[in-house]
């Protein structure tokens, strides 16, 4: 735990013979990483839908 605490809230790589064998990522950093990954996946879906040739649907917020 001393090594993790020394990371001061940043990810820490645990090495064995100068090779990384384990990464300790604080919960807040992991959540931010997962949120960013989800955003990238949603952007890919949106881009695919824009390029499928169909005209976009226009809706008002009240219709949602």
């Amino acid at each position: 735990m001393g090594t993790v605490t020394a990371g001061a809230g940043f990810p820490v790589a645990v090495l064995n013979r100068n090779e990384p064998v384990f990464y300790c990522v604080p919960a807040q950093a992991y959540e931010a990483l997962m949120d960013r990954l989800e955003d990238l996946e949603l952007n890919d879906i949106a881009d695919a839908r824009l390029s499928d040739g169909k005209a976009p649907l226009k809706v008002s917020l009240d219709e949602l």
Side-chain angles (χ1 to χ4, degrees):
M1 287 305 296
T3 302
V4 174
T5 303
F10 291 97
V12 175
V14 177
L15 305 177
N16 182 20
R17 296 186 177 133
N18 288 331
E19 294 291 326
V21 293
F22 180 80
Y23 293 99
C24 182
V25 181
Q28 188 176 13
Y30 182 79
E31 289 173 14
L33 181 66
M34 291 296 103
D35 287 343
R36 179 69 175 131
L37 181 59
E38 183 181 12
D39 289 346
L40 291 171
E41 291 171 348
L42 291 173
N43 280 337
D44 285 345
I45 291 169
D47 289 343
R49 289 182 180 174
L50 279 175
S51 65
D52 70 1
K54 295 180 183 175
L57 275 173
K58 293 188 179 197
V59 294
S60 70
L61 289 177
D62 294 331
E63 292 176 293
L64 297 175

